[in-house]
Coordinates of all heavy atoms in Angstrom, one line a residue:
W40 N 5.2 -9.1 -21.8 CA 4.6 -7.7 -21.7 C 3.4 -7.9 -20.9 O 2.4 -8.6 -21.2 CB 4.3 -7.3 -23.1 CG 3.6 -6.0 -23.3 CD1 2.3 -5.7 -23.0 CD2 4.1 -4.8 -23.9 NE1 2.0 -4.5 -23.3 CE2 3.0 -3.8 -23.9 CE3 5.3 -4.4 -24.5 CZ2 3.1 -2.6 -24.4 CZ3 5.5 -3.1 -24.9 CH2 4.4 -2.2 -24.9
I41 N 3.3 -7.1 -19.8 CA 2.0 -7.0 -19.0 C 1.5 -5.6 -19.2 O 2.1 -4.6 -18.6 CB 2.3 -7.4 -17.5 CG1 2.9 -8.7 -17.3 CG2 1.0 -7.1 -16.7 CD1 3.3 -9.1 -15.9
G42 N 0.5 -5.5 -20.0 CA 0.0 -4.1 -20.3 C -1.5 -4.0 -20.1 O -2.1 -4.9 -19.6
C43 N -1.9 -2.8 -20.5 CA -3.4 -2.5 -20.4 C -4.2 -3.1 -21.6 O -3.6 -3.2 -22.7 CB -3.5 -0.9 -20.4 SG -5.2 -0.4 -20.1
S44 N -5.4 -3.3 -21.4 CA -6.3 -3.9 -22.4 C -6.7 -2.8 -23.4 O -7.3 -3.2 -24.5 CB -7.6 -4.4 -21.8 OG -7.3 -5.5 -20.9
D45 N -6.4 -1.6 -23.2 CA -6.7 -0.6 -24.2 C -6.3 -0.9 -25.6 O -5.2 -1.2 -25.9 CB -6.0 0.8 -23.7 CG -6.5 2.0 -24.5 OD1 -6.6 2.0 -25.7 OD2 -7.0 3.0 -23.7
S46 N -7.3 -0.8 -26.5 CA -7.0 -1.2 -27.9 C -6.0 -0.3 -28.6 O -5.5 -0.7 -29.7 CB -8.3 -1.2 -28.7 OG -8.9 0.0 -28.7
R47 N -5.6 0.8 -28.0 CA -4.7 1.7 -28.7 C -3.3 1.4 -28.3 O -2.3 2.1 -28.8 CB -5.0 3.2 -28.3 CG -6.4 3.7 -28.7 CD -6.7 5.0 -27.9 NE -6.8 4.8 -26.5 CZ -7.0 5.8 -25.7 NH1 -7.1 7.0 -26.1 NH2 -7.0 5.6 -24.4
V48 N -3.1 0.3 -27.5 CA -1.7 0.0 -27.0 C -1.4 -1.4 -27.4 O -1.3 -2.4 -26.6 CB -1.6 0.2 -25.5 CG1 -0.2 0.1 -25.0 CG2 -2.2 1.5 -25.1
P49 N -1.1 -1.7 -28.8 CA -0.8 -3.0 -29.2 C 0.7 -3.4 -28.9 O 1.6 -2.7 -29.5 CB -1.1 -3.0 -30.7 CG -0.8 -1.6 -31.0 CD -1.2 -0.7 -29.9
A50 N 1.0 -4.4 -28.1 CA 2.4 -4.6 -27.6 C 3.3 -4.8 -28.8 O 4.4 -4.2 -28.9 CB 2.3 -5.8 -26.7
N51 N 3.1 -5.8 -29.6 CA 4.0 -6.1 -30.7 C 4.4 -4.9 -31.6 O 5.5 -4.7 -31.9 CB 3.4 -7.2 -31.6 CG 3.5 -8.6 -31.0 OD1 2.6 -8.9 -30.1 ND2 4.4 -9.4 -31.4
Q52 N 3.3 -4.1 -32.0 CA 3.6 -3.0 -32.9 C 4.4 -1.9 -32.2 O 5.3 -1.3 -32.8 CB 2.2 -2.4 -33.3 CG 1.5 -3.4 -34.3 CD 0.2 -2.8 -34.7 OE1 -0.8 -3.2 -34.2 NE2 0.2 -1.9 -35.6
I53 N 4.2 -1.7 -30.9 CA 4.9 -0.6 -30.3 C 6.4 -0.8 -30.2 O 7.1 0.1 -30.4 CB 4.3 -0.5 -28.8 CG1 2.9 0.2 -28.9 CG2 5.3 0.4 -28.0 CD1 2.2 0.2 -27.5
V54 N 6.8 -2.1 -30.1 CA 8.2 -2.4 -30.0 C 8.7 -3.0 -31.3 O 9.9 -3.5 -31.3 CB 8.5 -3.2 -28.7 CG1 8.4 -2.4 -27.5 CG2 7.6 -4.5 -28.7
D55 N 7.9 -3.0 -32.3 CA 8.2 -3.5 -33.6 C 8.8 -4.9 -33.6 O 9.8 -5.2 -34.2 CB 9.2 -2.6 -34.3 CG 9.3 -2.8 -35.8 OD1 8.4 -3.3 -36.4 OD2 10.3 -2.5 -36.4
L56 N 8.1 -5.8 -32.9 CA 8.4 -7.2 -32.8 C 7.4 -8.1 -33.5 O 6.3 -7.7 -33.6 CB 8.6 -7.7 -31.4 CG 9.7 -7.1 -30.5 CD1 9.7 -7.6 -29.1 CD2 11.1 -7.5 -31.1
L57 N 7.9 -9.2 -34.0 CA 7.0 -10.1 -34.8 C 6.2 -11.0 -33.8 O 6.7 -11.1 -32.6 CB 7.8 -11.0 -35.7 CG 8.5 -10.3 -36.9 CD1 9.4 -11.2 -37.6 CD2 7.4 -9.7 -37.8
P58 N 5.1 -11.5 -34.2 CA 4.4 -12.5 -33.4 C 5.3 -13.6 -33.0 O 6.1 -14.1 -33.8 CB 3.3 -13.0 -34.2 CG 3.0 -11.9 -35.2 CD 4.4 -11.3 -35.4
G59 N 5.3 -14.0 -31.8 CA 6.3 -15.1 -31.3 C 7.5 -14.5 -30.6 O 8.2 -15.2 -30.0
E60 N 7.7 -13.2 -30.7 CA 8.9 -12.6 -30.0 C 8.5 -11.9 -28.7 O 9.4 -11.5 -28.0 CB 9.5 -11.6 -31.0 CG 10.1 -12.2 -32.3 CD 10.8 -11.2 -33.2 OE1 10.3 -10.1 -33.3 OE2 11.9 -11.6 -33.7
V61 N 7.2 -11.8 -28.4 CA 6.8 -11.2 -27.2 C 5.6 -11.9 -26.6 O 4.6 -12.1 -27.4 CB 6.6 -9.7 -27.2 CG1 5.6 -9.3 -28.3 CG2 6.2 -9.1 -25.9
F62 N 5.6 -12.4 -25.4 CA 4.5 -13.0 -24.8 C 3.7 -11.9 -24.0 O 4.3 -11.1 -23.4 CB 5.0 -14.1 -23.8 CG 4.0 -15.2 -23.5 CD1 3.5 -16.0 -24.4 CD2 3.6 -15.3 -22.1 CE1 2.6 -17.0 -24.1 CE2 2.7 -16.4 -21.8 CZ 2.2 -17.2 -22.8
V63 N 2.4 -11.9 -24.2 CA 1.5 -10.8 -23.8 C 0.5 -11.1 -22.8 O -0.3 -12.2 -23.1 CB 1.0 -10.1 -25.1 CG1 0.1 -8.9 -24.5 CG2 2.0 -9.6 -26.0
H64 N 0.3 -10.4 -21.8 CA -0.8 -10.4 -20.9 C -1.4 -9.0 -20.7 O -0.6 -8.1 -20.5 CB -0.5 -11.0 -19.5 CG -1.6 -10.9 -18.6 ND1 -2.7 -11.8 -18.6 CD2 -1.9 -10.1 -17.5 CE1 -3.6 -11.5 -17.6 NE2 -3.1 -10.4 -17.0
R65 N -2.7 -8.9 -20.9 CA -3.2 -7.5 -20.8 C -4.5 -7.6 -19.9 O -5.3 -8.5 -20.0 CB -3.6 -7.0 -22.2 CG -2.4 -6.8 -23.1 CD -2.8 -6.6 -24.5 NE -3.4 -5.2 -24.7 CZ -3.7 -4.8 -25.9 NH1 -3.5 -5.5 -27.0 NH2 -4.3 -3.6 -26.0
N66 N -4.7 -6.6 -19.1 CA -5.9 -6.4 -18.3 C -6.2 -4.9 -18.1 O -5.4 -4.1 -18.6 CB -5.8 -7.2 -17.0 CG -4.7 -6.6 -16.1 OD1 -4.5 -5.5 -15.9 ND2 -3.9 -7.6 -15.6
V67 N -7.3 -4.5 -17.5 CA -7.6 -3.2 -17.4 C -6.6 -2.5 -16.4 O -6.4 -2.9 -15.2 CB -9.0 -3.0 -16.7 CG1 -9.3 -1.6 -16.4 CG2 -10.1 -3.6 -17.7
A68 N -5.8 -1.6 -16.9 CA -4.9 -0.8 -16.2 C -3.7 -1.5 -15.7 O -3.0 -1.1 -14.7 CB -5.5 -0.1 -14.9
N69 N -3.3 -2.5 -16.5 CA -2.1 -3.3 -16.2 C -1.8 -3.6 -14.8 O -0.7 -3.2 -14.2 CB -0.9 -2.6 -16.9 CG -0.8 -1.1 -16.7 OD1 -1.4 -0.3 -17.5 ND2 -0.1 -0.6 -15.7
I70 N -2.6 -4.2 -14.0 CA -2.6 -4.5 -12.6 C -2.1 -6.0 -12.4 O -2.5 -6.9 -13.1 CB -3.9 -4.3 -12.0 CG1 -4.3 -2.8 -12.0 CG2 -3.9 -4.8 -10.5 CD1 -5.7 -2.5 -11.6
V71 N -1.2 -6.1 -11.4 CA -0.7 -7.4 -11.0 C -1.0 -7.6 -9.6 O -0.5 -6.9 -8.7 CB 0.8 -7.6 -11.3 CG1 1.3 -9.0 -10.8 CG2 1.1 -7.4 -12.8
V72 N -1.9 -8.6 -9.3 CA -2.2 -8.8 -7.8 C -2.1 -10.4 -7.6 O -2.2 -11.2 -8.5 CB -3.6 -8.4 -7.5 CG1 -3.7 -6.8 -7.4 CG2 -4.6 -8.9 -8.5
N73 N -1.8 -10.7 -6.3 CA -1.5 -12.1 -6.0 C -2.7 -13.0 -6.0 O -2.6 -14.2 -5.6 CB -0.8 -12.1 -4.7 CG -1.5 -11.6 -3.5 OD1 -2.7 -11.2 -3.6 ND2 -0.9 -11.6 -2.3
T74 N -4.0 -12.4 -6.3 CA -5.1 -13.3 -6.3 C -5.6 -13.5 -7.7 O -6.6 -14.2 -7.9 CB -6.2 -12.6 -5.5 OG1 -6.4 -11.3 -6.0 CG2 -5.9 -12.7 -4.0
D75 N -4.9 -12.9 -8.7 CA -5.3 -13.0 -10.1 C -4.6 -14.2 -10.7 O -3.5 -14.1 -11.2 CB -4.9 -11.7 -10.9 CG -5.3 -11.8 -12.3 OD1 -6.0 -12.8 -12.8 OD2 -5.1 -10.8 -13.1
L76 N -5.3 -15.4 -10.7 CA -4.7 -16.6 -11.2 C -4.4 -16.5 -12.7 O -3.5 -17.3 -13.2 CB -5.6 -17.8 -10.9 CG -5.7 -18.1 -9.4 CD1 -6.6 -19.3 -9.2 CD2 -4.5 -18.3 -8.7
N77 N -5.2 -15.8 -13.5 CA -4.9 -15.6 -14.8 C -3.5 -15.0 -15.1 O -2.7 -15.5 -15.8 CB -6.0 -14.7 -15.5 CG -5.9 -14.6 -17.0 OD1 -5.0 -15.2 -17.6 ND2 -6.8 -13.8 -17.6
C78 N -3.3 -13.8 -14.4 CA -2.0 -13.2 -14.6 C -0.9 -14.0 -14.1 O 0.2 -14.1 -14.8 CB -2.0 -11.8 -13.9 SG -0.5 -10.8 -14.1
L79 N -1.1 -14.6 -13.0 CA 0.0 -15.5 -12.4 C 0.3 -16.7 -13.2 O 1.5 -17.1 -13.4 CB -0.4 -15.9 -10.9 CG -0.5 -14.8 -9.9 CD1 -0.9 -15.4 -8.6 CD2 0.8 -14.0 -9.8
S80 N -0.7 -17.2 -13.9 CA -0.5 -18.3 -14.8 C 0.3 -18.0 -16.0 O 1.2 -18.7 -16.4 CB -1.8 -19.0 -15.2 OG -2.5 -19.5 -14.1
V81 N 0.0 -16.8 -16.5 CA 0.8 -16.3 -17.6 C 2.2 -16.0 -17.2 O 3.2 -16.4 -17.9 CB 0.2 -15.0 -18.2 CG1 1.1 -14.3 -19.2 CG2 -1.2 -15.2 -18.8
M82 N 2.4 -15.5 -16.1 CA 3.8 -15.2 -15.6 C 4.6 -16.5 -15.4 O 5.7 -16.6 -15.8 CB 3.7 -14.4 -14.3 CG 3.4 -12.9 -14.4 SD 3.1 -12.2 -12.8 CE 4.6 -12.6 -11.9
Q83 N 3.9 -17.5 -14.8 CA 4.6 -18.8 -14.6 C 5.0 -19.5 -15.8 O 6.1 -19.9 -16.0 CB 3.7 -19.7 -13.7 CG 4.5 -21.0 -13.4 CD 3.7 -21.9 -12.5 OE1 2.5 -21.8 -12.4 NE2 4.4 -22.8 -11.8
Y84 N 4.1 -19.5 -16.8 CA 4.4 -20.2 -18.1 C 5.5 -19.3 -18.8 O 6.4 -20.0 -19.3 CB 3.1 -20.1 -19.0 CG 3.4 -20.9 -20.3 CD1 3.3 -22.3 -20.3 CD2 3.5 -20.2 -21.5 CE1 3.5 -23.0 -21.5 CE2 3.8 -20.9 -22.6 CZ 3.8 -22.3 -22.7 OH 4.0 -23.0 -23.8
A85 N 5.4 -18.1 -18.8 CA 6.4 -17.2 -19.5 C 7.8 -17.4 -18.9 O 8.8 -17.5 -19.6 CB 6.0 -15.8 -19.5
I86 N 7.8 -17.4 -17.6 CA 9.2 -17.4 -16.8 C 9.7 -18.9 -16.7 O 10.9 -19.1 -17.0 CB 9.0 -16.8 -15.5 CG1 8.7 -15.3 -15.6 CG2 10.2 -17.0 -14.5 CD1 8.2 -14.6 -14.4
E87 N 8.9 -19.8 -16.4 CA 9.4 -21.2 -16.2 C 9.5 -22.1 -17.4 O 10.3 -22.9 -17.6 CB 8.5 -21.9 -15.1 CG 8.6 -21.2 -13.8 CD 7.8 -21.9 -12.7 OE1 7.3 -23.0 -13.0 OE2 7.6 -21.4 -11.6
V88 N 8.5 -21.8 -18.3 CA 8.5 -22.7 -19.5 C 9.2 -22.0 -20.7 O 10.1 -22.6 -21.3 CB 7.1 -23.0 -19.9 CG1 7.1 -23.9 -21.3 CG2 6.4 -23.8 -18.8
L89 N 8.8 -20.8 -21.0 CA 9.4 -20.0 -22.1 C 10.8 -19.4 -21.7 O 11.5 -19.1 -22.6 CB 8.4 -18.9 -22.6 CG 7.1 -19.5 -23.1 CD1 6.2 -18.2 -23.5 CD2 7.3 -20.3 -24.3
Q90 N 11.0 -19.3 -20.5 CA 12.3 -18.7 -20.0 C 12.6 -17.3 -20.5 O 13.7 -17.0 -21.0 CB 13.4 -19.7 -20.4 CG 13.4 -21.1 -19.8 CD 13.9 -21.2 -18.4 OE1 15.1 -20.8 -18.1 NE2 13.1 -21.6 -17.5
V91 N 11.5 -16.5 -20.4 CA 11.8 -15.1 -20.8 C 12.8 -14.4 -19.9 O 13.0 -14.9 -18.8 CB 10.4 -14.3 -20.8 CG1 9.4 -14.9 -21.7 CG2 9.9 -14.2 -19.4
K92 N 13.5 -13.5 -20.5 CA 14.6 -12.8 -19.7 C 14.1 -11.4 -19.2 O 14.8 -10.9 -18.2 CB 15.8 -12.5 -20.7 CG 16.4 -13.9 -21.2 CD 17.6 -13.5 -22.1 CE 18.3 -14.8 -22.5 NZ 17.4 -15.7 -23.2
H93 N 13.0 -10.9 -19.7 CA 12.6 -9.6 -19.2 C 11.0 -9.6 -19.1 O 10.3 -10.1 -20.0 CB 12.9 -8.5 -20.3 CG 14.4 -8.4 -20.5 ND1 15.3 -7.7 -19.7 CD2 15.2 -9.0 -21.5 CE1 16.5 -7.8 -20.1 NE2 16.5 -8.5 -21.2
V94 N 10.6 -9.0 -18.0 CA 9.1 -8.8 -17.8 C 9.0 -7.3 -17.8 O 9.6 -6.5 -17.0 CB 8.6 -9.4 -16.5 CG1 7.1 -9.0 -16.3 CG2 8.9 -10.9 -16.5
M95 N 8.1 -6.8 -18.7 CA 7.8 -5.4 -18.8 C 6.4 -5.1 -18.3 O 5.5 -5.6 -19.0 CB 8.1 -4.8 -20.2 CG 9.5 -5.0 -20.7 SD 9.6 -6.5 -21.7 CE 8.8 -6.0 -23.2
V96 N 6.2 -4.3 -17.3 CA 4.9 -3.8 -16.9 C 4.7 -2.5 -17.6 O 5.5 -1.5 -17.4 CB 4.7 -3.6 -15.4 CG1 3.3 -3.1 -15.1 CG2 4.9 -4.9 -14.7
V97 N 3.8 -2.3 -18.5 CA 3.6 -1.2 -19.4 C 2.3 -0.5 -19.2 O 1.3 -1.1 -19.6 CB 3.9 -1.5 -20.8 CG1 3.9 -0.3 -21.7 CG2 5.2 -2.4 -21.0
G98 N 2.3 0.7 -18.6 CA 1.1 1.5 -18.5 C 1.1 2.5 -19.7 O 2.0 2.5 -20.5
H99 N 0.1 3.4 -19.7 CA 0.0 4.4 -20.7 C -0.7 5.6 -20.2 O -1.6 5.5 -19.5 CB -0.7 3.8 -22.0 CG -2.1 3.5 -21.9 ND1 -3.1 4.5 -22.2 CD2 -2.8 2.5 -21.4 CE1 -4.3 3.9 -22.0 NE2 -4.1 2.7 -21.5
Y100 N -0.2 6.7 -20.6 CA -0.9 8.0 -20.3 C -2.3 8.0 -21.0 O -2.5 7.5 -22.1 CB 0.0 9.2 -20.7 CG 1.3 9.2 -20.1 CD1 2.5 9.2 -20.8 CD2 1.5 9.3 -18.7 CE1 3.8 9.3 -20.3 CE2 2.7 9.3 -18.1 CZ 3.9 9.3 -18.9 OH 5.1 9.4 -18.3
G101 N -3.2 8.6 -20.2 CA -4.6 8.7 -20.8 C -5.3 7.4 -20.5 O -6.3 7.1 -21.2

Side-chain angles (χ1 to χ4, degrees):
W40 174 292
I41 300 176
C43 183
S44 298
D45 193 304
S46 60
R47 301 168 294 176
V48 191
N51 286 75
Q52 289 177 260
I53 288 172
V54 289
D55 196 22
L56 291 177
L57 295 172
E60 294 183 321
V61 57
F62 202 61
V63 180
H64 174 77
R65 297 169 70 176
N66 62 48
V67 175
N69 43 272
I70 292 172
V71 179
V72 290
N73 63 0
T74 54
D75 182 1
L76 297 182
N77 184 2
C78 183
L79 295 179
S80 296
V81 170
M82 285 172 53
Q83 182 175 24
Y84 185 79
I86 292 168
E87 296 183 6
V88 178
L89 298 177
Q90 296 279 301
V91 298
K92 297 179 176 63
H93 301 276
V94 177
M95 299 94 73
V96 179
V97 187
H99 68 96
Y100 298 122

